[in-house]
C-alpha cells in the first residue's frame, strides 16, 4: 500500500462579479491529494494521511477521497478550518494569489496520528508545504524516520513561497530528507529558485552521496532527467497540445511510483538494482501520463487504461 502525506485543500477561483459581491469557484486541490488521486486512478492501493476539517469543506474532501477510491482510514478529522488558496485577477489583469492556511486542519495534524500508519506500508510519499510548516512537518518527519529503510520514501519539495517565503526553510527540509529519501523528484523551476546557478548534476551528486537512490528532475517542455547509480538518463518530452499544466508534476510522480510498483521495485534494494533500460520505461511512462494531464483543463489525472499501448 502507498501512503501519501500532506494537504488536501481548496483552490478558490474568482468567477466574476455578482450584484452583491463575487462568484467563487472552489475546486479540490493540494499536491499530495493529486498524487494520491493519480495513484488510485492508476490502480494502486493508496491511503491519504493528513488532517481534514470537520466542517462542510472537510466533508467534501472526504467525499472526494471516497469517490476516487483513496483510503481514508489514516485521515484525522479536526476542529479546524480548511486551507483556501484564492486565485483572482487584479486591476492590471495579472493573477493575484492569497493563501489562508494558518491554523488550518492540514497543518494541525497531531503527532499521535503517525502511530496509525501500518508497518506494512510499501511506499511513502511526502512533499509540498506540509514538510515546512508546523506542527505537521514534525509529524511527517517522525513518520519518515520510522519507515525509511523499510518502505520506499519518495519526496517532491514542490516549493510554494506563498505559504513559506523563507527559501532557507525549504533547503533545510531537502537537506534533512536527503539521507532518508529513496526517490527525490524535483522540478527545474524549484531548483532554479532554491539553488540558482548550481548545475543539476552537482545537486544530484550531493543528494546521492547523502543516500538518495534516484534524483529525477522534471524540466517541463524539455522532458526529464534521472540521476542514478551508474550515470544519467534523459527522457524526451511527449508532444502535446497544452491546455494547462496544473497537476502535471503530481501526475509525473504518481505515474513514476506506479511504474516502479509494477516492476516490483519499491523495496530500496530493488530500486537500486533496477537497470537503466527499465528506468527509461519508467520515465517514459511518467512523461506520457503528465502529457495527458497537460492536454486537459485542471488537474484531471489519467487512468491506467489511458496509458496502455493502443
Amino acid at each position: 500500500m502507498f501512503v501519501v502525506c500532506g494537504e488536501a485543500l481548496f483552490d478558490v477561483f474568482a468567477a466574476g462579479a455578482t450584484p452583491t459581491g463575487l462568484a467563487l469557484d472552489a475546486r479540490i486541490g493540494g499536491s499530495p491529494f493529486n498524487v494520491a488521486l493519480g495513484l488510485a486512478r492508476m490502480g494502486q492501493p493508496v491511503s491519504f494521511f493528513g488532517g481534514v476539517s470537520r466542517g462542510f469543506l472537510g466533508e467534501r474532501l472526504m467525499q472526494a477521497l471516497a469517490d476516487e477510491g483513496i483510503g481514508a482510514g489514516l485521515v484525522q478529522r479536526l476542529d479546524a478550518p480548511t486551507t483556501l488558496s484564492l486565485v483572482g485577477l487584479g486591476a492590471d489583469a495579472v493573477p493575484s494569489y492569497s493563501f489562508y492556511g494558518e491554523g488550518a486542519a492540514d497543518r494541525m495534524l497531531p503527532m499521535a496520528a503517525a502511530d496509525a500508519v501500518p508497518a506494512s506500508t510499501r511506499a511513502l510519499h511526502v512533499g509540498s508545504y506540509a514538510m515546512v510548516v508546523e506542527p505537521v512537518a514534525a509529524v511527517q518527519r517522525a513518520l519518515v524516520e520510522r519507515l525509511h529503510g523499510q518502505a520506499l520514501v519518495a519526496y517532491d519539495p514542490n516549493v510554494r513561497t506563498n505559504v513559506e517565503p523563507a527559501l532557507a526553510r525549504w533547503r533545510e527540509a531537502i537537506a534533512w530528507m536527503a539521507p532518508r529519501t529513496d526517490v527525490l523528484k524535483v522540478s527545474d523551476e524549484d531548483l532554479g529558485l532554491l539553488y540558482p546557478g548550481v548545475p543539476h548534476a552537482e545537486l544530484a551528486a550531493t543528494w546521492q552521496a547523502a543516500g538518495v537512490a534516484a534524483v529525477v528532475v522534471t524540466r517541463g517542455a524539455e522532458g526529464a532527467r534521472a540521476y542514478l547509480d551508474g550515470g544519467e538518463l534523459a527522457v524526451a518530452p511527449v508532444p502535446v497540445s497544452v491546455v494547462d499544466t496544473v497537476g502535471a508534476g503530481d501526475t509525473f510522480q504518481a505515474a513514476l511510483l506506479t511504474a516502479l510498483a509494477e516492476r516490483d521495485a519499491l523495496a530500496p534494494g530493488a530500486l537500486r538494482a533496477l537497470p537503466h533500460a527499465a528506468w527509461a520505461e519508467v520515465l517514459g511512462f511518467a512523461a506520457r501520463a503528465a502529457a495527458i494531464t497537460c492536454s486537459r483543463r485542471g488537474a484531471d489525472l489519467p487512468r491506467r487504461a489511458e496509458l496502455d499501448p493502443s
Side-chain angles (χ1 to χ4, degrees), residues 6 10 17 28 30 50 61 70 78 152 154 160 171 175 180 188 227 231 240 281-282 287 293 299 306 309:
F10 277 89
I28 292 165
L61 292 173
I70 302 168
L78 302 173
L152 179 141
R160 293 293 178 264
R171 288 191 287 263
R180 302 165 177 86
D188 58 352
Y227 299 87
V240 64
E281 295 172 354
V282 168
T293 296
E306 296 179 75

Side-chain angles (χ1 to χ4, degrees), residues 34 38 41-42 240-252 286-303 306-307:
N34 288 337
R41 288 188 176 183
M42 292 182 203
V240 64
S241 296
V242 176
V243 175
D244 70 40
T245 60
V246 177
D250 301 324
T251 304
F252 190 100
R288 295 198 306 277
I292 291 174
T293 296
C294 289
S295 74
R296 307 198 286 218
R297 180 69 61 193
D300 184 7
L301 283 69
R303 299 185 183 278
E306 296 179 75
L307 289 154

Side-chain angles (χ1 to χ4, degrees), residues 183-298:
V183 177
L184 171 57
K185 195 276 288 183
V186 60
S187 70
D188 58 352
E189 183 179 3
D190 283 351
L191 292 181
L193 181 65
L194 295 174
Y195 311 98
V198 183
H200 296 171
E202 182 178 327
L203 291 167
T206 298
W207 294 326
Q208 287 176 290
V212 178
V215 177
V216 179
V217 179
T218 56
R219 304 188 297 163
E222 296 183 20
R225 183 175 295 272
Y227 299 87
L228 310 165
D229 289 346
E232 303 176 17
L233 187 64
V235 60
V238 175
V240 64
S241 296
V242 176
V243 175
D244 70 40
T245 60
V246 177
D250 301 324
T251 304
F252 190 100
Q253 180 76 336
L256 185 152
L257 294 174
T258 294
L260 291 175
E262 291 179 351
R263 288 161 178 76
D264 293 323
L266 293 181
L271 179 70
R272 289 188 179 276
L274 197 67
H276 278 209
W279 266 109
E281 295 172 354
V282 168
L283 295 172
F285 180 83
R288 295 198 306 277
I292 291 174
T293 296
C294 289
S295 74
R296 307 198 286 218
R297 180 69 61 193

